[in-house]
C-alpha cells in the first residue's frame, strides 16, 4: 500500500462496495464540502432510504389508523419480523435466535434477568476493566439485586502494566483461576475505547468449559465485524443500531439468544404480551406462553418508526454482505494505520500512539500527549470528523460502508500539516 492520492483513488475505483457511499447523507463543512466522516463508531450516517421508509409508515398511519396493524404495506403486527433475517445475517445467527426490540441497555438487563442466575458459590461476573459505563452500571445493579457488592461479585480484567489491551491468554487464564465462582462471562465484542476485538469464540468456549455462560455487548461489533454468534455458541448478545448500523440516534437494539436457550421454554425471561405466543396473543388470557426463540423476549409492540429506519439500513447490509464489508474494512483500517505512521514519521510535532491492537475492527484509537485536543481540533478545521474521548484519546473509524480510501488519505495529509501552537 502506498500513501499517495493516486493509490487511494485506484483502490476506490476497484472497490466493489464503493457505490454504497452514494446511499448516505454526509454532513457539510462551513465551505459546504462533505466532511471526511470517521465517527461511524459513535453515530453512523443517515442512509438516504431512511426518509422514505419513515414516510411510508407515517402515510399508512394517516391512511389506515388502527388498521395499519394488518392493512399497512408492512403490517405493524408483524413488524419485527421484517428485520429479523437481515439482523441475523449481520451477527451470524439463525433467524430464530434474533429479534430487534427496545434499546441496548434495557436489553442487557432483560438478558441478565435470564442469564445471570447466581447459584451458591457461583455468583461472579467476569468482564473487562474500563467497560462502557452503561455496562458497568447495569452489571453493578444486577449483582446488588442479588445482595452482592460490585467489588466482591465483579471480576474486572485489566491489561498488564504498560499495555493497553488485554491478552487473550490472560482472559482465558483468569477464567480458569476463578472457574468455580463465575456465573457469567460478559465482555464487549469490540472495546469502545481501545478498539480491541476480543476473541469471542475462545472466550465462549472457555466459559462453557468452566461451567459459566458467555454474553457479549456488541455495540461496537455489530455491522463492524463478521460475527458468527450461532456457530461460536455464544449464549446471548445485544447491540445497538445507531453506531456501525447507521440507524439513527438512540434507535432500537437487537438481541441474540442462542437456540439452545431460546427454544427451551424453561429458560426464565421477564415477560410481556409481545413475547407471548403469536397465535394466542390476542386471547388476552392469563398464563404466559413464550414465542419460540429470541422473539419470546419481546415485551412491547414494536416502535415502528425507529424500526422502519433500521430496516432501511439493514437492507444495505444485506446487499453489501458482512464478509465483503469486513474484507474492505481490514484493508481500509490498515491503510489508515499506514497514513498515520507516515504522518508521525514526517511530522515531529505529532505525538500519537496507536493503542488499538491488531485484533480490531474499523476503529483506531490514538493516545495523544497534552496537545491531543489541538490535533483533534486541527483535524476538525480540515473537515475531518473524528471523536475525542477524555482524557486523551482520538478515535477514528473508517467505515467500509461509506468511507473511501481517499478519505483515509486525506486524514494522513491533515495530520502532516498539523503544527504545535
Ligand atoms: C454505545 C454503547 C452503549 C449505549 O447504550 P444505549 O442503551 O444504547 O444508550 C452501551 N454499551 C456499549 C458497550 C456501547 O458501546
Amino acid at each position: 500500500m502506498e500513501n499517495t492520492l493516486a493509490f487511494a483513488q485506484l483502490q476506490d475505483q476497484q472497490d466493489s462496495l464503493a457505490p454504497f457511499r452514494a446511499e448516505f447523507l454526509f454532513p457539510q463543512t462551513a465551505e459546504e464540502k462533505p466532511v471526511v466522516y470517521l465517527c461511524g463508531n459513535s453515530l453512523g450516517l443517515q442512509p438516504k432510504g431512511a426518509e422514505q421508509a419513515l414516510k411510508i409508515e407515517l402515510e399508512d398511519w394517516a391512511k389506515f389508523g388502527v388498521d395499519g396493524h394488518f392493512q399497512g404495506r408492512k403490517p405493524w403486527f408483524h413488524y419485527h419480523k421484517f428485520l429479523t433475517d437481515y439482523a441475523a445475517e449481520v451477527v451470524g445467527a439463525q433467524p430464530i435466535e434474533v429479534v430487534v426490540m427496545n434499546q441496548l441497555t434495557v436489553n442487557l438487563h432483560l438478558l441478565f434477568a435470564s442469564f445471570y442466575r447466581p447459584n451458591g458459590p457461583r455468583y461472579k461476573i467476569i468482564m473487562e476493566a474500563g467497560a462502557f459505563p452503561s455496562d458497568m452500571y447495569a452489571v453493578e445493579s444486577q449483582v446488588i439485586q442479588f445482595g452482592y457488592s460490585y467489588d466482591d461479585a465483579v471480576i474486572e480484567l485489566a491489561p498488564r502494566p504498560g499495555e493497553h489491551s488485554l491478552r487473550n491468554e490472560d482472559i482465558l487464564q483468569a477464567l480458569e483461576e476463578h472457574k468455580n465462582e463465575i456465573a457469567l462471562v460478559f465482555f464487549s465484542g469490540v472495546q469502545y475505547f481501545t478498539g480491541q476485538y476480543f476473541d469471542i469464540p475462545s472466550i465462549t468456549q472457555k466459559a462453557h468449559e468452566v461451567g459459566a455462560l458467555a454474553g457479549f455487548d456488541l455495540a461496537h461489533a455489530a455491522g463492524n465485524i463478521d460475527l458468527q454468534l450461532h456457530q461460536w455458541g455464544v449464549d446471548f448478545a445485544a447491540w445497538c443500531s445507531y453506531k456501525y448500523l447507521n440507524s439513527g440516534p438512540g434507535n432500537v437494539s437487537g438481541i441474540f439468544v442462542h437456540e439452545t436457550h431460546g427454544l427451551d421454554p424453561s429458560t426464565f425471561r421477564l415477560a410481556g404480551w409481545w413475547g407471548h405466543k403469536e397465535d394466542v396473543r390476542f386471547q388476552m388470557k392469563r398464563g404466559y406462553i413464550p414465542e419460540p426463540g429470541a422473539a419470546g423476549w419481546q415485551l412491547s409492540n414494536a416502535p415502528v418508526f425507529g424500526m422502519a429506519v433500521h430496516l432501511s439500513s439493514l437492507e444495505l447490509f444485506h446487499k453489501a454482505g458482512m464478509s465483503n464489508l469486513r474484507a474492505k474494512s481490514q484493508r481500509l483500517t490498515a491503510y489508515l494505520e499506514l497514513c498515520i505512521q507516515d504522518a508521525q514519521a514526517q511530522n515531529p510535532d505529532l505525538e500519537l500512539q496507536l493503542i488499538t491492537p491488531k485484533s480490531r475492527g474499523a476503529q483506531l484509537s490514538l493516545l495523544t500527549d497534552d496537545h491531543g485536543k489541538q490535533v483533534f481540533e486541527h483535524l476538525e478545521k480540515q473537515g475531518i470528523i473524528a471523536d475525542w474521548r477524555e482524557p486523551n484519546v482520538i478515535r477514528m473509524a473508517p467505515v467500509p460502508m461509506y468511507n473511501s480510501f481517499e478519505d483515509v488519505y486525506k486524514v494522513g495529509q491533515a495530520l502532516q500539516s498539523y503544527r504545535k501552537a
Side-chain angles (χ1 to χ4, degrees):
M1 293 211 271
E2 283 168 40
N3 186 7
T4 63
L5 182 58
F7 174 85
Q9 289 177 337
L10 182 65
Q11 302 314 300
D12 289 331
Q13 280 163 27
Q14 294 172 348
D15 172 17
S16 62
L17 297 177
F20 285 95
R21 183 179 174 89
E23 301 282 341
F24 289 86
L25 295 164
F26 283 76
Q28 310 266 303
T29 63
E31 297 81 42
E32 298 191 359
K33 286 196 299 197
V35 298
V36 172
Y37 194 79
L38 298 179
C39 232
N41 57 316
S42 184
L43 183 72
L45 291 180
Q46 181 182 145
K48 288 181 182 164
E51 187 175 350
Q52 180 58 19
L54 194 51
K55 226 171 127 211
I56 286 177
E57 300 315 322
L58 286 166
E59 284 169 6
D60 282 2
W61 179 27
K63 186 168 167 198
F64 298 113
V66 70
D67 290 337
H69 283 292
F70 294 98
Q71 290 173 17
R73 279 165 276 186
K74 289 200 164 64
W76 306 325
F77 182 78
H78 301 291
Y79 206 89
H80 66 273
K81 293 186 189 170
F82 299 119
L83 289 86
T84 300
D85 287 2
Y86 291 160
E89 264 175 35
V90 167
V91 297
Q94 312 285 334
I96 191 101
E97 296 171 319
V98 168
V99 76
V100 175
M101 60 180 202
N102 312 317
Q103 284 151 299
L104 175 54
T105 307
V106 171
N107 284 340
L108 290 176
H109 278 296
L110 296 177
L111 291 164
F112 287 142
S114 294
F115 300 111
Y116 175 55
R117 313 286 291 168
N119 185 6
R122 200 179 268 289
Y123 64 91
K124 297 196 177 178
I125 300 179
I126 199 160
M127 67 192 290
E128 85 246 28
F132 192 86
S134 205
D135 300 49
M136 289 195 274
Y137 307 146
V139 164
E140 181 178 3
S141 57
Q142 285 290 333
V143 300
I144 287 172
Q145 177 184 210
F146 288 98
Y148 307 112
S149 71
Y150 190 90
D151 289 345
D152 175 37
V154 182
I155 303 166
E156 289 187 348
L157 303 184
R160 294 183 188 186
E163 299 187 5
H164 294 282
S165 50
L166 275 161
R167 297 188 193 194
N168 197 51
E169 70 210 66
D170 290 356
I171 299 174
L172 302 184
Q173 167 75 31
L175 265 66
E176 180 64 30
E177 223 166 89
H178 298 282
K179 66 179 169 193
N180 297 319
E181 44 186 17
I182 313 171
L184 177 64
V185 180
F186 179 64
F187 269 75
S188 57
V190 172
Q191 224 282 339
Y192 82 99
F193 192 77
T194 65
Q196 177 175 18
Y197 169 30
F198 291 113
D199 188 353
I200 298 173
S202 73
I203 294 171
T204 301
Q205 193 189 356
K206 186 70 189 175
H208 292 167
E209 193 185 307
V210 304
L213 296 177
F216 293 87
D217 182 332
L218 302 176
H220 286 263
N224 176 16
I225 299 289
D226 195 7
L227 300 159
Q228 295 299 333
L229 298 183
H230 173 79
Q231 195 190 316
W232 296 340
V234 166
D235 293 291
F236 71 90
W239 55 93
C240 57
S241 63
Y242 50 80
K243 292 171 181 167
Y244 293 96
L245 291 175
N246 309 326
S247 300
N251 206 352
V252 285
S253 156
I255 68 159
F256 166 88
V257 176
H258 200 278
E259 64 180 4
T260 53
H261 307 297
L263 295 178
D264 176 357
S266 74
T267 304
F268 174 78
R269 64 206 79 185
L270 292 174
W273 76 320
W274 227 251
H276 190 74
K277 223 164 164 327
E278 189 181 301
D279 49 348
V280 289
R281 189 180 298 151
F282 280 82
Q283 293 179 0
M284 308 310 213
K285 285 195 187 135
R286 194 153 57 74
Y288 178 67
I289 312 166
E291 268 283 294
W297 267 259
Q298 294 174 101
L299 301 184
S300 300
N301 71 104
V304 165
F305 301 135
M307 303 275 273
V309 171
H310 187 31
L311 176 55
S312 72
S313 173
L314 286 175
E315 283 165 358
L316 296 176
F317 279 85
H318 172 68
K319 281 187 201 149
M322 252 342 285
S323 60
N324 297 332
L325 286 163
R326 175 65 170 152
K328 174 178 173 185
S329 177
Q330 284 172 308
R331 296 190 64 239
L332 199 59
T333 303
Y335 191 50
L336 178 61
E337 184 177 1
L338 172 84
C339 294
I340 292 169
Q341 274 169 356
D342 272 8
Q344 281 267 72
Q346 285 165 33
N347 184 351
D349 280 2
L350 215 50
E351 286 292 337
L352 300 173
Q353 187 196 346
L354 178 63
I355 59 167
T356 305
K358 286 290 173 204
S359 175
R360 67 195 180 193
Q363 173 190 323
L364 295 182
S365 301
L366 302 163
L367 191 64
T368 63
D369 60 5
D370 18 325
H371 294 265
K373 201 67 188 263
Q374 290 166 26
V375 176
F376 177 75
E377 283 161 5
H378 169 77
L379 289 173
E380 244 178 357
K381 281 199 204 97
Q382 311 285 311
I384 292 166
I385 309 297
D387 91 345
W388 175 256
R389 273 289 162 267
E390 293 296 341
N392 52 2
V393 162
I394 297 174
R395 300 185 301 176
M396 298 180 178
V399 168
M401 184 71 97
Y402 51 70
N403 282 123
S404 64
F405 285 82
E406 188 170 340
D407 281 347
V408 168
Y409 172 78
K410 285 180 184 161
V411 176
Q413 293 302 296
L415 288 172
Q416 297 214 6
S417 68
Y418 166 74
R419 294 292 172 268
K420 256 183 201 167

